[in-house]
Amino acid sequence: SQTIHQWPATLVQPVGSPLSLECTVEGTSNPNLYWYRQAAGRGLQLLFYSVGIGQISSEVPQNLSASRPQDRQFILSSKKLLLSDSGFYLCASHDSGGLGETQYFGPGTRLLVL
Amino acid sequence: ELKVEQNPLFLSMQEGKNYTIYCNYSTTSDRLYWYRQDPGKSLESLFVLLSNGAVKQEGRLMASLDTKARLSTLHITAAVHDLSATYFCAVSRRYGGATNKLIFGTGTLLAVQP
């Protein structure tokens, strides 16, 4: 089965600072990869998904961007953080190009923007 | 637009009792997922339901799917404290070559009281 790593686990950043969150996946190849955000006490919102290296689709207009430099690496970035970027960021993987049985989630990064 | 609604949003149960969480979705879906989230943690996959009439059981939890009614249920039998968590349902649709973007319900916070 696949394993998803995310770092850092927790991050406190000032408004206007840059951001880089990393996600790597083991135990699968050619996965679909996803970034979700969960605001406190809320459900999950899909931010970006990727079906392959260099292929990124954005779901909602926002201050963030994503990149996929390698098959099993997915990065979430921002040039200037906003207060509203605070939340719990979850990377997810769905193997076999999305045809695998289920979507697995990483441990998450908790981001607080002050 | 695909929308997912869960009810109830909050459920306080006594140990040993049975109850059901409902998940309604607005348009045709390929798959229906149930996840569990413990406080401050990531999502754990519980069930994936693929077809009309599908039923899956694991321990005290049983999930079912009625695609005609666009309804899934998560039934809890003889609740125990360890089941206290937030439960999310999610549905996915395939768009062209990109697959399995999950749309989440709002979640049901389950608290099992002794």
Side-chain angles (χ1 to χ4, degrees):
Chain A
S1 65
Q2 56 185 291
T3 303
I4 303 172
H5 302 279
Q6 286 188 246
W7 64 91
T10 306
L11 191 58
V12 181
Q13 291 284 99
V15 169
S17 64
L19 175 73
S20 180
L21 303 182
E22 189 161 346
C23 169
T24 58
V25 184
E26 295 177 356
T28 186
S29 59
N30 191 32
N32 282 5
L33 297 176
Y34 309 81
W35 279 112
Y36 293 87
R37 177 171 59 203
Q38 185 178 33
R42 307 289 292 276
L44 277 76
Q45 180 185 37
L46 178 63
L47 302 177
F48 300 94
Y49 68 92
S50 171
V51 300
I53 296 173
Q55 301 180 64
I56 307 295
S57 296
S58 174
E59 287 296 292
V60 292
Q62 59 197 300
N63 183 43
L64 303 169
S65 62
S67 61
R68 186 170 176 177
Q70 300 180 44
D71 182 46
R72 288 171 287 176
Q73 183 185 28
F74 204 23
I75 297 171
L76 185 69
S77 304
S78 174
K79 293 182 179 178
K80 289 185 178 182
L81 283 169
L82 306 173
L83 286 174
S84 58
D85 292 324
S86 295
F88 191 35
Y89 288 83
L90 290 159
C91 176
S93 172
H94 207 134
D95 60 16
S96 302
L99 299 177
E101 181 172 349
T102 192
Q103 198 164 123
Y104 295 97
F105 284 80
T109 294
R110 197 165 302 280
L111 172 65
L112 179 61
V113 182
L114 300 176
Chain B
E1 183 185 354
L2 179 56
K3 293 185 179 179
V4 182
E5 294 184 352
Q6 275 181 250
N7 67 84
L9 297 181
F10 177 71
L11 179 57
S12 179
M13 298 178 63
Q14 284 188 320
E15 282 190 329
K17 299 291 187 181
N18 304 333
Y19 210 82
T20 301
I21 300 172
Y22 298 89
C23 175
N24 291 91
Y25 53 98
S26 58
T27 61
T28 303
S29 170
D30 293 318
R31 300 181 185 183
L32 192 295
Y33 304 76
W34 283 98
Y35 288 91
R36 168 180 172 149
Q37 185 178 36
D38 291 303
K41 303 294 186 181
S42 184
L43 275 71
E44 173 191 356
S45 178
L46 295 175
F47 303 107
V48 182
L49 303 171
L50 303 178
S51 59
N52 187 43
V55 177
K56 290 191 175 180
Q57 184 166 3
E58 181 73 32
R60 301 174 187 274
L61 301 177
M62 182 174 71
S64 65
L65 178 62
D66 181 344
T67 58
K68 294 181 181 179
R70 296 175 185 162
L71 171 69
S72 179
T73 61
L74 181 66
H75 187 73
I76 303 152
T77 302
V80 294
H81 182 69
D82 286 351
L83 290 179
S84 298
T86 299
Y87 293 84
F88 289 97
C89 67
V91 298
S92 67
R93 294 189 69 188
R94 299 184 180 186
Y95 294 90
T99 63
N100 290 312
K101 300 189 293 181
L102 298 191
I103 308 299
F104 279 84
T106 50
T108 296
L109 175 58
L110 174 66
V112 181
Q113 312 295 337

